[in-house]
Amino acid sequence: MYMENTPQVSRLHIALIGRRNAGKSSLLNAWVGQDVAVVSDVAGTTTDAVRKAVELPGLGACVLLDTPGFDDTDRQLGRLRIERMQTAVEQADIVVVVASGVDLTEEEREWTVSLRRKGTPWMLALGKADTIADAEQEAERMGRELKVPAVAVSAWKRTGLDRLTALLLQLLPPDFGEETITGSLAKEGDRVLLVMPQDKEAPKGRLILPQVQTIRELLDKRCIAVCCTPDKMGEALASFHKSPELIITDSQVFPQVFRQKPADSRLTSFSVLFAAYKGDGRVLRRGAESISLLTEHSRVLIAEACAHVPAGEDIGRVKLPRLLRKRIGEGLQISFVSGRDFPQDLSPYQLVIHCGACMFNRRYVLERIRRAEEQGVPITNYGMAIAHLTGILHQIDFG
């Protein structure tokens, strides 16, 4: 039951990549015991990443990603399909390269080099093993040459699947799943006040995901969690017999909460917490400090993880741009992307400001941070940017 309720962003993401008709979709179906992906002898049947949440022995709650072939040559859709495959790879904690034969093609070799360069854990699966003589020996040979785990698999005969799972367990990042949202900021017995505005961006009758996940973690840590809206913060503080050890709030009400905060209480925000939980807090903090270098001729990219329709005083589309232009000038150019749309080339921008990324897994956020760093473009997130713009970045606790 727990697996069914595990958010996709908290699961181990495993991507299957390879040439068209290498057997990726058949392997996925055999692995999960269901017809999840469409299988056909026609090359290019898989046109978008197919996702399946599963429970794998030893690995726990996972998301398996079946991807389009990276050798797609269709003039109109091929480029788009390959981009979708690349996005799936960026999200993957582990990649399985499904080989189409005993001798790797040029495209297959190029992808193995790319995975090594990015530091992505990966392994080789020799697909359609039932059609290859001495498939197990060939897989072992290929693995030795590539210096990665390798296995021969047959979706038709359902062989090699247990071995595939066992090898993936060896590739599991040692610290996977050990990150916590509140880190060292909260421990058992601490009193934590959560100040949470419930505006138009909060779905009626529900809490947004960062709030839900943070509250659950505080309960798991055996903390005493008290929740209120900003207008009730004074009354909530009065209910404590002494100051709470920690106050967590929303970035957009930082200044209001900071003014009421007891001097001996630490203050942070959901967005700041998620900066370290999902990415690299130190890099994102440096990015916030680079706001001071922007001019009216600068360009800023604001990236949102969820593709929602902006409503009212949207923090990313309205409030943050307003704060930036008030500080930098009305001539500041601001662009927006949402969901999995994120430019490969970030060089036109002097700063990237990302949301808290509660809808993305950690690997995907780190890949975006890596891309920005490689191109020399500062990157930060909503919470840190707002803390800098309101002059309290140095007074925020980062864990």
Side-chain angles (χ1 to χ4, degrees):
M1 190 65 172
Y2 170 75
M3 189 279 291
E4 294 295 330
N5 294 321
T6 303
Q8 285 215 6
V9 295
S10 300
R11 297 168 181 262
L12 180 72
H13 283 54
I14 303 170
L16 307 178
I17 71 169
R19 291 167 55 84
R20 292 173 297 169
N21 271 9
K24 301 183 297 296
S25 299
S26 298
L27 173 57
L28 175 64
N29 290 344
W31 207 356
V32 302
Q34 301 176 34
D35 289 334
V36 177
V38 177
V39 176
S40 169
D41 291 332
V42 178
T45 300
T46 303
T47 59
D48 202 351
V50 175
R51 300 164 182 271
K52 176 60 179 176
V54 297
E55 175 88 10
L56 294 177
L59 292 171
C62 302
V63 172
L64 301 182
L65 300 144
D66 179 26
T67 64
F70 49 57
D71 61 330
D72 199 322
T73 57
D74 185 283
R75 289 185 178 180
Q76 300 203 355
L77 293 178
R79 182 180 61 82
L80 180 59
R81 290 170 180 165
I82 291 174
E83 286 178 357
R84 296 292 175 85
M85 185 275 295
Q86 290 172 329
T87 298
V89 171
E90 290 172 354
Q91 293 175 287
D93 298 293
I94 304 175
V95 172
V96 178
V97 178
V98 182
S100 54
V102 296
D103 295 310
L104 294 188
T105 65
E106 182 179 348
E107 293 100 330
E108 288 169 336
R109 290 192 179 277
E110 286 177 355
W111 270 99
T112 64
V113 171
S114 175
L115 292 171
R116 287 191 194 281
R117 182 178 63 81
K118 291 182 178 181
T120 304
W122 67 281
M123 64 168 292
L124 184 75
L126 180 57
K128 302 181 181 180
D130 53 280
T131 67
I132 300 173
D134 300 320
E136 292 184 10
Q137 290 83 350
E138 290 290 352
E140 290 180 8
R141 174 187 61 79
M142 296 171 76
R144 286 194 301 271
E145 290 179 1
L146 295 166
K147 298 180 180 179
V148 294
V151 61
V153 292
S154 169
W156 180 53
K157 291 189 175 182
R158 298 182 61 81
T159 57
L161 301 180
D162 290 342
R163 177 64 176 159
L164 173 60
T165 302
L167 291 176
L168 284 170
L169 187 57
Q170 296 177 17
L171 291 173
L172 185 67
D175 60 346
F176 182 82
E178 293 184 1
E179 302 88 358
T180 62
I181 298 169
T182 55
S184 61
L185 290 177
K187 62 182 184 302
E188 183 174 348
D190 280 354
R191 289 145 305 168
V192 182
L193 177 62
L194 300 102
V195 185
M196 308 182 301
Q198 301 300 301
D199 54 19
K200 292 182 180 179
E201 299 308 309
K204 186 175 179 60
R206 290 181 290 147
L207 297 175
I208 60 175
L209 188 57
Q211 296 170 353
V212 172
Q213 291 180 320
T214 304
I215 292 171
R216 175 55 196 261
E217 179 177 296
L218 291 171
L219 295 176
D220 288 342
K221 283 188 168 185
R222 314 295 289 176
C223 296
I224 302 167
V226 174
C227 304
C228 70
T229 51
D231 59 308
K232 296 295 183 180
M233 181 177 171
E235 295 175 43
L237 286 171
S239 69
F240 289 95
H241 68 272
K242 65 177 184 177
S243 303
E245 281 77 17
L246 177 65
I247 298 175
I248 306 174
T249 189
D250 194 274
S251 303
Q252 59 185 308
V253 292
F254 256 156
Q256 178 183 345
V257 172
F258 181 74
R259 287 192 295 270
Q260 300 180 69
K261 180 188 82 70
D264 53 346
S265 293
R266 291 166 294 177
L267 173 65
T268 190
S269 79
F270 296 101
S271 187
V272 166
L273 291 175
F274 272 72
Y277 179 54
K278 290 298 182 68
D280 188 322
R282 292 171 298 178
V283 172
L284 298 176
R285 183 171 184 171
R286 288 200 304 269
E289 292 167 347
S290 74
I291 290 175
S292 301
L293 303 177
L294 297 177
T295 71
E296 279 199 287
H297 303 291
S298 299
R299 294 187 63 186
V300 173
L301 177 68
I302 293 181
E304 302 169 311
C306 49
H308 67 285
V309 178
E313 290 285 283
D314 185 87
I315 186 170
R317 302 276 177 152
V318 179
K319 294 181 179 180
L320 189 49
R322 181 190 297 151
L323 283 171
L324 285 166
R325 290 192 169 111
K326 183 178 179 180
R327 169 69 64 86
I328 309 302
E330 291 299 321
L332 183 68
Q333 298 180 56
I334 302 176
S335 303
F336 303 92
V337 292
S338 61
R340 294 187 178 89
D341 293 332
F342 194 72
Q344 288 292 327
D345 181 12
L346 297 171
S347 61
Y349 304 100
Q350 282 68 59
L351 177 66
V352 176
I353 305 179
H354 210 290
C355 69
C358 62
M359 301 302 293
F360 290 160
N361 65 327
R362 178 176 170 80
R363 183 79 190 190
Y364 191 31
V365 178
L366 288 173
E367 171 60 25
R368 290 189 168 189
I369 292 173
R370 183 197 64 80
R371 189 184 307 173
E373 283 203 292
E374 274 191 353
Q375 299 179 39
V377 180
I379 182 169
T380 188
N381 78 344
Y382 286 10
M384 293 197 184
I386 292 175
H388 175 83
L389 288 165
T390 53
I392 60 173
L393 182 63
H394 63 290
Q395 299 177 15
I396 298 298
D397 279 291
F398 296 88

